[in-house]
Amino acid sequence: MLNRVSWGANASSARALASVGAERYLERQLHPGAADELPPAAQAQIDALSVTRQPLEELASEADQQQKAVNAITDPELKQAAQRVYQERLNRFGREAVTRALLRDLYAPAQLREQLVWFWFNHFNVHLYKANIRVLIGDYEEKAIRPHALGRFRDLLRATLRHPAMLRYLDNDQNAAGHINENYAREIMELHTMGVGSGYSQTDVQELARILTGLGVAQPANPPKIKPELQDQYVRAGLFEFNPNRHDYGDKVFLGRAIKGTGLKETEEALDILARAPATARFISRKLALYFVSDSPPQPLIDAMAETFRSTDGDIAAVLKTMFQSPAFTSSLGARFKDPMHFVISALRLAYDDKVVLNIGPVQGWLGRLAQRSTARKRPMAIRRMTEAGTARARWRRASRSRARSAPTRAACSRSRGHLQANSRRSRWWRTRCSSPASLRRSPSRRSRRSAWQVPRRSGTRCFSPRLNSCAVKARWN
């Protein structure tokens, strides 16, 4: 059970389970406290990150000012150099967000919450390299996903809808009356709530797009000039903005329900309809079962979870409890092959236990080589394909050659582990290599190819000593 509920069993989590029993342990995981309670060394790393120390509005404002300064440069060579500096700054924000998430995956006692943060982050996917989302991505996980990962689905849906990362990623900041953009309306129904083939029509997509007009990203340095008769309708919260000048105030009919043209309130009505639709209960329950139980979860389990979803108004923890208490979940334990993300994190948890990794850079590099670069999926359609049968095997096929699979486990279980120490030669190399996706495809130097922390020449998931073989084998299954 530990391997399934957490990111991977280790000595400390085994002691915690033994001390309170499986039932109480699971209850604590379903209802954790608000605090992370990380080891001091891990928390210190998180506290030192810019995405933790600075408010989102400040980060975004500084990045916008830097971009304007770059655009004002006329000399081509100077402009190119300034653009590289600007892009590196955005890359740093993206790496920091991933660093914070990985440290929590490795050391947070509330392991189920961390798994759900990852699950919902993939469900409500945004792409790191679109526009300035690298600035927004850390706040998106921290403020939109994390607080609601085990709460009500309706609250989670609303939080993602009102975050600038989602609005910018799916182009709703370009959605205005007379210039309708259907991207977000289509994806929120197809991938976030009801699912493909659940009964909605193209007309429903168009009507939802009209409802979402005016929702966008605020520009503090250039506030909109609101018409006098609409000034009481203007809403701004952080970088979220509802601009009534851009909203379609006509009446709509959405999924058979009439919605009056009242402004931002229309969005709340639409979210209620979507979150409480029977198709949403089935779609979300199936995705959770795919993630936690098997690639082909039994239909009675999905039906039971969907019934809990409906009866509790989308209480995610209650739906998970129904799943965990089912015979299907119990019978699946120990028989599920891990995807690359779980393989890497569980290997580290098994090898390090409570000893804090001082540099997460190499871990990000391993995940990149296994085609699992966090937040780097360009299209939300990719997430849907990962929920179909054969998920784990399909994701391993995308992880390039099989011999690349053993590199993370071998490195994680290495006796020296020098590449995970802060400011080591290897860690500096990894920070350089991980700065862009293209760099991961370049061949390393001849010397580095022979290093223990590069891809070993032997194929398969086995390593080269009994101790390392043990770590690799234990990490493969949950």
Side-chain angles (χ1 to χ4, degrees):
M1 186 185 75
L2 274 179
N3 271 326
R4 195 67 60 84
V5 173
S6 72
W7 275 104
N10 58 11
S12 58
S13 61
R15 288 193 297 270
L17 175 63
S19 65
V20 298
E23 186 175 347
R24 289 186 61 190
Y25 177 83
L26 190 57
E27 192 65 26
R28 290 181 181 181
Q29 290 293 313
L30 288 167
H31 303 284
D36 285 331
E37 299 179 357
L38 296 173
Q43 188 62 53
Q45 290 185 60
I46 291 176
D47 293 341
L49 300 173
S50 298
V51 294
T52 302
R53 292 185 290 105
Q54 292 182 263
L56 176 61
E57 294 85 348
E58 183 179 322
L59 291 175
S61 176
E62 291 176 358
D64 289 344
Q65 291 174 12
Q66 185 176 4
Q67 185 180 32
K68 290 177 181 178
V70 170
N71 293 337
I73 299 174
T74 56
D75 183 275
E77 292 186 4
L78 292 177
K79 186 170 186 175
Q80 187 177 27
Q83 183 68 22
R84 283 196 297 268
V85 173
Y86 171 67
Q87 290 296 324
E88 175 52 35
R89 181 176 190 169
L90 297 187
N91 289 337
R92 176 169 59 85
F93 291 143
R95 288 195 300 270
E96 286 187 0
V98 176
T99 295
R100 181 169 61 184
L102 289 174
L103 284 169
R104 286 168 169 164
D105 292 343
L106 288 169
Y107 302 110
Q111 281 285 291
L112 180 60
R113 177 167 59 194
E114 300 310 318
Q115 285 231 63
L116 265 294
V117 170
W118 170 251
F119 174 86
W120 294 122
F121 194 88
N122 280 292
H123 183 82
F124 295 101
N125 175 61
V126 298
H127 176 46
L128 186 68
Y129 293 103
K130 182 172 182 177
N132 69 336
I133 290 181
R134 280 166 285 181
V135 179
L136 309 174
I137 198 79
D139 188 84
Y140 178 65
E141 180 190 294
E142 189 74 8
K143 300 292 179 62
I145 303 291
R146 178 171 295 278
H148 309 290
L150 284 163
R152 291 176 64 240
F153 179 77
R154 166 66 168 77
D155 298 336
L156 176 61
L157 182 62
R158 182 180 187 271
T160 57
L161 179 140
R162 289 197 171 207
H163 198 279
M166 179 62 74
L167 294 170
R168 180 150 288 165
Y169 172 55
L170 290 175
D171 304 317
N172 207 78
D173 55 348
Q174 302 173 26
N175 185 22
H179 301 278
I180 297 295
N181 188 304
E182 299 176 1
N183 284 2
Y184 188 27
R186 188 179 310 281
E187 302 304 340
I188 199 173
M189 299 179 73
E190 180 179 319
L191 298 179
H192 297 172
T193 55
M194 299 176 67
V196 179
S198 56
Y200 65 85
S201 66
Q202 173 61 18
T203 300
D204 292 316
V205 173
Q206 294 169 341
E207 293 293 270
L208 181 56
R210 292 177 61 208
I211 291 170
L212 297 176
T213 51
L215 276 72
V217 182
Q219 304 293 330
N222 187 25
K225 296 180 180 179
I226 307 298
K227 298 174 184 178
E229 65 272 19
L230 295 176
Q231 287 183 355
D232 62 334
Q233 294 273 324
Y234 178 73
V235 175
R236 181 184 165 192
L239 291 182
F240 167 78
E241 177 182 80
F242 174 72
N243 185 342
N245 290 348
R246 297 168 59 84
H247 184 66
D248 181 343
Y249 277 89
D251 293 344
K252 294 93 176 173
V253 178
F254 177 55
L255 293 174
R257 304 273 293 274
I259 296 181
K260 295 291 184 180
T262 56
L264 186 58
K265 183 181 176 183
E266 300 170 41
T267 305
E268 301 298 325
E269 293 182 54
L271 291 180
D272 286 338
I273 294 172
L274 287 168
R276 291 167 182 160
T280 299
R282 293 190 296 269
F283 182 67
I284 298 302
S285 296
R286 181 173 182 271
K287 285 197 72 171
L288 287 167
L290 281 165
Y291 185 82
F292 282 102
V293 179
S294 74
D295 293 338
S296 301
Q299 190 60 44
L301 171 62
I302 297 173
D303 293 341
M305 294 169 65
E307 177 57 34
T308 302
F309 189 102
R310 290 191 293 269
S311 64
T312 61
D313 199 19
D315 187 326
I316 298 167
V319 174
L320 289 172
K321 187 172 183 178
T322 297
M323 180 189 69
F324 289 141
Q325 292 178 341
S326 69
F329 175 78
T330 304
S331 63
S332 73
L333 295 179
R336 185 169 173 81
F337 198 74
K338 292 183 180 178
D339 61 43
M341 178 71 174
H342 281 80
F343 181 76
V344 170
I345 300 302
S346 59
L348 284 166
R349 281 177 55 82
L350 184 64
Y352 276 70
D353 196 16
D354 288 336
K355 183 178 179 181
V356 175
V357 171
L358 299 180
N359 175 37
I360 288 292
V363 183
Q364 296 189 42
W366 299 334
L367 293 171
R369 292 167 61 201
L370 294 173
Q372 304 296 307
R373 287 181 64 84
S374 181
T375 72
R377 299 192 179 278
K378 295 183 179 180
R379 299 181 303 148
M381 291 294 289
I383 303 302
R384 187 179 71 191
R385 287 196 294 270
M386 284 195 289
T387 66
E388 302 303 329
T391 296
R393 292 177 178 83
R395 293 182 74 179
W396 272 117
R397 283 197 296 270
R398 286 191 287 269
S400 187
R401 298 180 180 178
S402 60
R403 67 183 183 183
R405 305 172 196 173
S406 61
T409 304
R410 180 180 182 182
C413 300
S414 169
R415 292 183 183 276
S416 63
R417 303 173 188 168
H419 51 287
L420 296 181
Q421 301 299 319
N423 298 320
S424 68
R425 178 180 64 83
R426 292 172 177 175
S427 71
R428 289 194 296 272
W429 188 91
W430 270 109
R431 285 198 296 272
T432 303
R433 296 277 291 172
C434 296
S435 61
S436 68
S439 69
L440 296 174
R441 296 192 290 270
R442 292 197 290 268
S443 297
S445 68
R446 187 172 182 180
R447 180 179 179 182
S448 65
R449 274 201 300 268
R450 294 195 300 269
S451 300
W453 41 278
Q454 265 293 331
V455 180
R457 295 188 180 278
R458 181 181 293 186
S459 63
T461 56
R462 304 284 286 187
C463 298
F464 300 116
S465 74
R467 177 174 178 271
L468 303 188
N469 282 338
S470 176
C471 286
V473 171
K474 289 178 181 178
R476 286 189 303 178
W477 300 90
N478 68 351

